[in-house]
Amino acid sequence: MTDATSGAASGATSGAATDGSATDGVAGSGEVVLYWRPLCTYCMKLRFGLLFTRLRYSRRFTRVNIWKDPDAAAYVRSVADGNETVPTVRVAGRPMVNPSLRQLLAAAGEYGA
């Protein structure tokens, strides 16, 4: 799992990079991007739940801290009615605002993540 701190202007990230940064591009099939921020209890709950899933170890899974990445924060605002509601997750290019672990895993399974 990579903690990306710099994404594309639209919030699109293609894959996890090993150097802690995200690469620019269009979200690929099955890619999962988790937008989070420190001290967010909902983010911590979702991230903790992911520790016990195979998705956490997928190369297509990337975490992005919206406090360190203004472009990611702008993406979250664009899909959450102008609010920085986290966790926001993008699965295969489809945004999910504050999903449960069950919803996230179902979407990841449906889109091949």
Side-chain angles (χ1 to χ4, degrees):
M1 180 168 29
T2 302
D3 203 0
T5 56
S6 63
S10 67
T13 308
S14 69
T18 57
D19 63 354
S21 65
T23 56
D24 294 345
V26 178
S29 175
E31 180 183 78
V32 178
V33 182
L34 169 64
Y35 297 94
W36 67 285
R37 67 171 173 78
L39 305 177
C40 167
T41 56
Y42 300 106
C43 298
M44 287 187 266
K45 180 180 177 184
L46 185 59
R47 289 176 62 186
F48 181 76
L50 286 170
L51 289 175
F52 303 102
T53 68
R54 284 191 272 167
L55 180 61
R56 176 182 183 263
Y57 300 101
S58 172
R59 290 179 169 246
R60 297 181 191 166
F61 180 70
T62 306
R63 297 179 307 166
V64 181
N65 180 345
I66 67 168
W67 282 0
K68 291 186 177 181
D69 187 343
D71 294 332
Y75 173 76
V76 170
R77 285 191 302 271
S78 75
V79 298
D81 297 324
N83 300 309
E84 288 187 356
T85 304
V86 288
T88 294
V89 182
R90 190 177 68 240
V91 179
R94 294 162 182 88
M96 301 174 71
V97 179
N98 199 14
S100 68
L101 179 61
R102 182 175 293 178
Q103 291 169 326
L104 172 57
L105 293 176
E110 182 179 343
Y111 297 113

